[in-house]
Amino acid sequence: MAEDLVLDTAIRDWVLIPLSVVMVLIGILRYFVSKLMRSFQVPDHKIVKEGQVIVRARNLRASANFIPPKSFRSRRVYFSNEENGLLFVPKGQAQNAQAQMFSDPNMAMDMMKKNLSMIIPQTLTFAWVNFFFSGFVAAKIPFPLTQRFRSMLQNGIDLSTVDVSYVSSRSWYFLNLFGLRGLFSLILGEENATDDTQRMMQMSGFGFDPSKSLGAEKDGLDIVQHEWALPKFEHRAEAVLKKIVS
Amino acid sequence: MVSKTEETQLNSLENQVDNGGGGAWEYLCLVRKLKVRRSDKVFKYGLSILNDPKKRSALGPEEWTLYEQVAIAALDCQCLDVTKDCIKVLQKKFPESKRVGRLNGMLLEAKGSWAEAEKAYSSLLEDNSLDQVIHKRRVAMAKAQGNISEAIELLNKYLEIFMADHDAWRELADIYVSLQMYKQAAFCYEELILSQPTVPLYHLAYADVLYTLGGLENLQTAKKYYASTIDLTGGKNTRAPFGICLCTSAIAQVSKGRNREDKESPELQSLAATALEKDYKQRAADKLGLLTSALRSMKF
């Protein structure tokens, strides 16, 4: 149980290296295909305007202390006013955003295309790995693991006595999947379609982005207490001038 | 806006290129990055690179960016033929390009055919109504034709959508000041201060506008902003101490009858005056007499 299994070097030549090479090639292929399929998305008026409103509101919150109180108050009213304030989103509209996003044909097509380009190669490669490279020990992980990882890392190997550090090629596939991201950004430059994990994280945070952030900005703005910083500056200027004159 | 280190770097590169050392390409790249307007130099050196086929092929894909840069510089130097040639080359390479369309529009503008340029820009806007640069070109056109009210209207419409664009706010503030619409200009400067609170230029300009508007409250606010300018520039700015002296004497005049609140730094004016005298003694000693007489007339 604790003795070392000697793994054939042929495994390294015919399993590990070809698998990595294939994944790199598939990644490059996906990158070029996505470049070809990328359609120019006409930015929507409303979304651009909302983005800019948010930036402006954030600036207002951040530097509120630099402008006179009257101007700050008038700007705050302009933004969070009940009837036509820029940041005010009536409750009903907030729900619509997500529904709209799914019913908008262009956006739905775009999302589908992105999903497909991500899912299909992954599925195919996974099936290929399973078909060809299963049933044997592929590699040994250098650090010891607990028994809980056995089902995840060793599914081709049906011996329960083998140390969990010996893994099947499926785990090598997953390792490559997440690890080649760095390599791709070296080869292909920053924006490449192989950033699956990033995309997956983005998808879960999708949905109501615009109206929620507007509401958040409005709340932030309501909270801000205006404390005019300028009177302090007079004293500071005095100090500066004193230093210069002396 | 360009920081001081970047400006010194640019100037040193420029000197180097002027005096025959190499580095023209780095100079052009730096100009492009910093968006500085040095069209005559860009035109001279860019054209020399483009006319030399060996250097041109050494640039690779950057060649087209250089064509665009030289085309715009040529427009500024009124060498329209060079511009036409550059645009022809670019159009052959990128036939359906919006950037080339924009260059065409700028060429029409430079020739003075405003109506055609307007038509070209509107057709470009139809394809992509959110192209910021084209909107700004239309404003520039209106301003160049002398039609300031239309420029203001276009700029306002632009700012309704792109309200975080501080260059546009700056332009609007300039236009309002030129038309003496000081209250609106003050609003624009406030926007600028909000987005970039540590740039002393905006504080100074805002203080100027407030001082021009007049009225006790505005004068007091202006004084505070002159003080903040001094603070932000570490005392190196010369206009700000002048502003303080003027504000203090103006406040004194306006509030002659009522009792002045002396809690706000009474020393500020005398300190400012002394700092000014010291500065003038160092840098322009012959004008010191003018300064002292002016300051004396300001002191009540």
Side-chain angles (χ1 to χ4, degrees), chain B residues 37 68 72 75-76 98-99 101-111 114 117-118 120-122 124-125 131-145 150-151 154-155 158 165 168 171:
Chain B
R37 196 172 179 176
E68 189 185 16
I72 299 185
L75 281 177
D76 229 358
K98 287 210 177 58
R99 272 165 90 163
R102 192 179 76 209
L103 281 176
N104 264 325
M106 282 167 82
L107 178 61
L108 289 169
E109 258 186 84
K111 279 203 276 201
W114 306 114
E118 175 70 39
Y121 286 143
S122 334
L124 282 172
L125 273 180
D131 192 341
Q132 296 190 353
V133 187
I134 301 232
H135 275 121
K136 292 199 216 185
R137 288 272 16 121
R138 284 177 75 199
V139 172
M141 245 182 14
K143 199 168 167 202
Q145 287 175 282
E150 179 167 341
L154 283 173
L155 202 46
Y158 172 77
D165 185 353
E171 185 63 36

Side-chain angles (χ1 to χ4, degrees), chain A residues 43-45 48-49 52-53 55-56 59-60 63 66-68 70-71 75 86 228 230-231 233-234 236-238 240-242 244-246, chain B residues 129-130 160-164 187 190-191 193-195 197 206 217 221 224-225 227-228 230-231 234-235 265 267-268 271-272 274-275 278:
Chain A
D44 189 17
H45 257 264
V48 167
K49 184 172 174 182
Q52 300 262 327
V53 165
V55 173
R56 193 176 168 199
N59 282 336
L60 180 61
S63 332
F66 283 97
I67 56 173
K70 224 177 9 174
S71 354
R75 280 187 167 81
L86 290 179
W228 202 19
L230 266 296
F233 275 108
E234 280 206 19
R236 278 161 70 168
E238 243 187 53
V240 167
L241 284 177
K242 260 194 211 139
I244 294 189
V245 169
S246 62
Chain B
S129 61
L130 289 178
E160 257 177 38
I161 307 182
F162 296 101
M163 40 177 88
F187 183 82
E190 281 164 9
E191 283 294 321
I193 294 184
L194 278 179
S195 59
Y206 187 46
E217 205 182 306
T221 321
K224 296 191 170 66
Y225 278 99
S228 76
I230 294 186
D231 186 35
S265 28
E267 303 187 345
L268 197 54
L271 274 175
T274 335
K278 187 163 175 215

Side-chain angles (χ1 to χ4, degrees), chain A residues 47 146 183:
Chain A
I47 295 191
T146 61
L183 188 68

Side-chain angles (χ1 to χ4, degrees), chain A residues 212-242:
Chain A
K212 232 193 215 170
S213 39
L214 282 184
E217 282 299 324
K218 173 169 178 290
D219 292 334
L221 205 52
D222 285 335
I223 294 179
V224 171
Q225 297 269 17
H226 183 260
E227 211 189 84
W228 202 19
L230 266 296
K232 266 193 295 185
F233 275 108
E234 280 206 19
H235 298 289
R236 278 161 70 168
E238 243 187 53
V240 167
L241 284 177
K242 260 194 211 139

Side-chain angles (χ1 to χ4, degrees), chain A residues 125-137:
Chain A
T125 320
F126 192 54
W128 178 70
V129 166
N130 266 346
F131 182 62
F132 280 113
F133 297 119
S134 62
F136 59 89
V137 170

Side-chain angles (χ1 to χ4, degrees), chain B residues 246-257:
Chain B
L246 284 169
C247 276
T248 325
S249 50
I251 291 179
Q253 274 191 346
V254 168
S255 59
K256 235 187 295 199

